[in-house]
């Protein structure tokens, strides 16, 4: 992803960051009353309109029941998990066992990272999507005609852990958070395996999760003077199996459900979980990877952390053989592709799920 370009006074900016600015730096510049034209996403404020789902309809999964020794409780929560993945593709996860203090620390660490001096953050700047640690802003204009109103930090944290060495203590917190979220996702995938009719370790073995690709993606959405025409991240789906997301209690996430957009207001200390493209592929379309987007506001800076877990990069993913042919009478609805090839296409802005979906004859 390219960094947005603005001419600055070279006497005020180190040479390596001249003509480059983050959204955060742009917002902190004096007298900013409107956004630059290359950040304009839409001239139609109604495009961002979304309603609030009924509290009793948005799925909530109690993780403690999923790990319960009571077979009746576990059976019921697996049914709830199946329904949530089929009907919404999103759910809130409560009682997940990740401490409130760790969730707070990792959000604070991200905030401290984004507040580092520009030259220190720019040490991690790069366009290579496979760079182990990558800091950036905006989007490549070859893919889109505008820049996102966000700065980001992306780290590959499994099977090898990569993380910034600053600010102090951030790497240790990031490593613990990555480990705990990976454990939660793997436990959820045991339930998903059973909801699909398999034994609980099916997905873990089939997707080589011991060497699965896990990303730590932190997003900073600074206050925007014209939020009605800017966009944090446009509608997209995630490439992995499941993604866990937390935020700093500043709303902005919207999901698409039955063709309508809904605002999401996570419960305190919960994870927001969404199904990704590769769970849709593996389930042969039983579970859908749902579009979601991030809108911005003119009141407070939002920080979110998304942690997607996917197959190992060399794994060729296709619908589970047990879900096609034979007694099912169903054909494969998706073409096989390695996870690495898929990620390369998607991270370059190509609609990859549509590319591997086989049209109905």
């Amino acid at each position: 992803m390219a960094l947005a370009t603005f001419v600055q006074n070279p006497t005020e900016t180190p040479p390596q960051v001249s003509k480059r600015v983050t959204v955060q730096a742009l917002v902190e510049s004096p007298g900013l009353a409107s956004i630059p034209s290359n950040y304009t996403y839409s001239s139609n404020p109604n495009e961002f309109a979304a309603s609030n789902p009924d509290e009793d309809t948005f799925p909530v999964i109690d993780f403690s029941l999923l790990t319960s020794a009571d077979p009746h409780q576990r059976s019921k929560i697996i049914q709830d998990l199946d329904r949530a993945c089929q009907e919404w593709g999103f759910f809130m996860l409560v009682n997940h066992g990740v401490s409130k203090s760790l969730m707070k620390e990792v959000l604070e660490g991200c905030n401290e990272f984004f507040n580092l001096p520009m030259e220190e953050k720019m040490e991690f700047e790069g366009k290579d999507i496979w760079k182990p640690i990558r800091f950036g802003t905006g989007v490549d204009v070859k893919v889109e005609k505008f820049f996102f109103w966000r700065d980001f930090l992306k780290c590959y944290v499994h099977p090898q852990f990569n993380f910034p060495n600053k600010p102090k203590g951030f790497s240790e917190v990031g490593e613990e958070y990555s480990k705990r979220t990976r454990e939660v996702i793997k436990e959820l995938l045991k339930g998903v395996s059973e909801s699909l009719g398999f034994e609980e370790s099916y997905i873990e073995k089939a997707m080589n999760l011991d060497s699965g690709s896990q990303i730590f993606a932190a997003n900073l959405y600074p206050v925007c003077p014209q939020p009605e025409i800017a966009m944090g991240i446009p509608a997209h789906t995630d490439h992995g199996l499941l993604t866990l997301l937390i935020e700093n209690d500043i709303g902005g996430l919207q999901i698409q459900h039955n063709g309508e957009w809904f605002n999401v207001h996570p419960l305190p200390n919960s994870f927001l979980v969404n199904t990704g493209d590769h769970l849709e592929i593996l389930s042969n379309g039983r579970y859908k990877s749902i579009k979601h987007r991030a809108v911005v506001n003119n009141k407070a800076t939002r920080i979110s952390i998304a942690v997607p877990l996917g197959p190992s990069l060399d794994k060729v993913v296709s619908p589970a053989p047990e879900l096609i042919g034979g007694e099912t009478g169903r054909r494969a609805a998706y073409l096989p592709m390695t996870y690495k090839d898929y990620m390369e296409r998607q991270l370059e802005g190509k609609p990859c799920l549509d590319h591997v979906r086989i049209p109905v004859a």
Side-chain angles (χ1 to χ4, degrees), residues 164-291:
N165 55 5
K166 58 187 76 172
K168 184 178 179 181
F170 187 32
S171 179
E172 291 78 7
V173 171
E175 186 169 18
E176 178 63 18
Y177 184 77
S178 299
K179 175 185 174 183
R180 293 291 293 115
T181 49
R182 185 164 62 253
E183 291 170 349
V184 170
I185 295 175
K186 289 175 73 172
E187 195 65 41
L188 282 171
L189 288 173
K190 290 180 181 179
V192 172
S193 290
E194 292 190 52
S195 72
L196 290 171
F198 304 135
E199 52 95 17
E200 68 172 22
S201 63
Y202 181 90
I203 293 178
E204 182 172 355
K205 293 177 180 177
M207 297 291 101
N208 299 342
L209 291 189
D210 283 346
S211 57
S213 176
Q214 182 182 2
I215 299 173
F216 178 102
N219 298 297
L220 179 83
Y221 305 99
V223 171
C224 181
Q226 293 178 290
E228 69 280 2
I229 61 173
M231 177 63 81
I233 301 180
H236 66 284
T237 61
D238 290 352
H239 48 70
L241 294 162
L242 290 176
T243 299
L244 297 191
L245 182 137
I246 60 173
E247 61 173 26
N248 63 337
D249 300 324
I250 305 298
L253 180 68
Q254 297 179 343
I255 67 172
Q256 194 174 59
H257 176 63
N258 292 337
E260 297 183 32
W261 285 102
F262 289 90
N263 297 307
V264 180
H265 304 288
L267 294 169
N269 305 318
S270 68
F271 283 114
L272 189 66
V273 185
N274 66 281
T275 55
D277 294 354
H278 279 75
L279 195 54
E280 176 171 333
I281 294 169
L282 182 69
S283 69
N284 203 34
R286 177 181 177 88
Y287 299 149
K288 299 297 184 182
S289 186
I290 303 300
K291 287 185 178 180

Side-chain angles (χ1 to χ4, degrees), residues 127-164:
K127 299 179 182 180
D128 181 6
I129 63 172
W130 296 111
K131 188 176 180 181
I133 306 169
R134 188 161 62 101
F135 167 74
T137 188
V139 70
D140 193 329
V141 292
K142 295 191 296 295
V143 177
E144 297 287 354
K145 301 303 180 184
F146 68 97
F147 294 118
F148 300 164
W149 194 262
R150 66 133 189 187
D151 298 335
F152 68 84
L153 169 67
K154 290 185 179 180
C155 309
Y156 288 92
V157 293
H158 195 264
Q160 287 81 39
F161 179 76
N162 304 278
F163 220 73

